[in-house]
Amino acid sequence: VSTQSTWGFSQSMASSSHFVTTLADVRMPRLIYGTAWKKERTTDLVVQAVTRGFRGIDTACQPKHYSEDLVGEALARLAAMGTPRESLFLQTKFTSVNGQDHRKPYDPNAPVDQQVQQSFAVSLKNLRTNYVDSLVLHSPMRDHSTTLQVWRAMESLVASGQVRQLGISNVSFPELKQLWRDAKVHPAVVQNRFYANSGYDRDLRAFCAEQGVWYQSFWTLTANPNLLDSKVLLDIAKRRGGTPAQALFRYLLDKGVTPLTGTCDPEHMRQDLEVLDWSPLSDGELASIDRLLV
């Protein structure tokens, strides 16, 4: 039986291991390296992150921080260094229909399912692979009908074996409930921006916990700079011989969340990975952080 905190996470989904198994039976790392905003540094940083121990990579698909082709270059370099693509969890995204994604030369006049298929074919080419572990819809479309058309096309990619699981990002709770009701293949992950101390997404996170959906948090530190100055996290970090950021990541791991970290700093990469080997926070430590997040 899962135990819900007031913040909407399930204690039963927590894991002390480096990997979890999603409802799609996919082995997913507890920490994933995100590639937004890195631009021309992306390839070198992905190689560095994997070399240091990351086994999950999340691409960025918006034009201002697009990364698929650079991640593909990193995958090729890593394979040449002895780390095969099959040893990594690779997650990419589908952005939009009707020609709104200028990086993907699909026919905007084609039916929606063909637009998705054409776009995904470009993704595979960019990433230099023949499958992805996780395909995430970057955000719902303007109406649920179009979202469902896109989702049906994504489901066909799962059926073809080119995609192992599906997910959705930047989604509200009502939108997720609609999709869950109508989907044939349910999302295995939800990826949303993380606003820790505002109660943001509480109901959505609770729903994910109940359904066994893994919640991926992005901008985990960027969106919460004041939280890292709290005495609670500072005290936990001091007792653990770590940093407030590490204490927050350990809290999220213990609550069943998969944080995305996008650091460019080698020392921060080491610290992020080190958290996987921390012992779980005590009930008292968890409760003290819970109270910060109401």
Side-chain angles (χ1 to χ4, degrees):
V1 179
S2 65
T3 303
Q4 299 288 340
S5 78
T6 57
W7 203 38
F9 285 138
S10 169
Q11 201 73 27
S12 69
M13 290 183 73
S15 170
S16 60
S17 70
H18 290 213
F19 295 88
V20 295
T21 300
T22 71
L23 58 79
D25 200 29
V26 172
R27 189 169 180 258
M28 184 176 74
R30 292 305 318 273
L31 278 177
I32 294 175
Y33 189 72
T35 58
W37 302 105
K38 294 169 180 59
K39 300 183 180 179
E40 67 277 357
R41 301 180 62 191
T42 299
T43 298
D44 288 341
L45 287 167
V46 169
V47 170
Q48 185 176 155
V50 172
T51 301
R52 289 181 175 272
F54 281 92
R55 286 298 176 265
I57 305 166
D58 178 71
T59 74
C61 62
Q62 291 292 73
K64 57 187 174 184
H65 47 86
Y66 185 84
S67 70
E68 271 188 351
D69 50 348
L70 298 173
V71 170
E73 185 178 339
L75 293 174
R77 192 185 300 178
L78 287 162
M81 295 166 60
T83 302
R85 181 264 173 272
E86 293 76 18
S87 69
L88 302 173
F89 174 90
L90 180 59
Q91 180 167 271
T92 196
K93 301 179 179 75
F94 176 78
T95 308
S96 57
V97 294
N98 302 324
Q100 296 174 45
D101 185 352
H102 75 277
R103 295 273 187 164
K104 302 287 182 65
Y106 55 82
D107 180 2
N109 297 313
V112 167
D113 62 331
Q114 292 182 25
Q115 292 185 47
V116 175
Q117 291 165 4
Q118 291 168 14
S119 173
F120 184 69
V122 176
S123 291
L124 292 183
K125 182 178 179 180
N126 287 341
L127 292 166
R128 308 187 194 189
T129 186
N130 59 6
Y131 77 99
V132 298
D133 298 282
S134 187
L135 178 62
V136 173
L137 178 58
H138 183 263
S139 61
M141 302 294 107
R142 293 180 179 177
D143 59 80
H144 178 63
S145 175
T146 307
T147 297
L148 192 57
Q149 290 181 65
V150 170
W151 196 261
R152 289 283 184 260
M154 292 169 62
E155 290 173 333
S156 72
L157 296 173
V158 174
S160 72
Q162 296 172 286
V163 173
R164 300 185 65 207
Q165 72 178 26
L166 300 180
I168 188 165
S169 183
N170 300 296
V171 64
S172 69
F173 186 35
E175 290 168 331
L176 179 60
K177 286 193 295 184
Q178 277 189 305
L179 180 61
W180 190 267
R181 180 195 66 203
D182 296 332
K184 296 176 182 177
V185 176
H186 286 136
V189 296
V190 164
Q191 183 185 117
N192 273 3
R193 186 178 303 179
F194 178 78
Y195 290 113
N197 55 353
S198 67
Y200 183 75
D201 268 359
R202 183 184 290 112
D203 291 340
L204 185 149
R205 288 191 298 259
F207 179 84
C208 287
E210 291 166 1
Q211 302 298 337
V213 177
W214 286 90
Y215 185 98
Q216 297 178 350
S217 63
F218 71 89
W219 286 19
T220 308
L221 301 181
T222 306
N224 304 281
N226 296 331
L227 188 63
L228 299 182
D229 294 328
S230 70
K231 187 176 185 301
V232 168
L233 288 178
L234 287 167
D235 287 347
I236 292 173
K238 184 177 181 180
R239 287 195 297 272
R240 298 286 181 126
T243 68
Q246 286 179 302
L248 178 59
F249 274 6
R250 185 66 249 181
Y251 171 83
L252 294 175
L253 292 171
D254 290 343
K255 290 291 187 176
V257 175
T258 296
L260 273 67
T261 173
T263 181
C264 301
D265 186 316
E267 175 61 14
H268 290 167
M269 288 183 187
R270 183 195 66 77
Q271 290 174 353
D272 291 347
L273 290 166
E274 186 179 72
V275 174
L276 293 169
D277 295 319
W278 279 23
S279 59
L281 299 185
S282 68
D283 289 344
E285 289 172 327
L286 292 172
S288 65
I289 299 177
D290 280 343
R291 289 191 288 271
L292 286 178
L293 307 180
V294 175

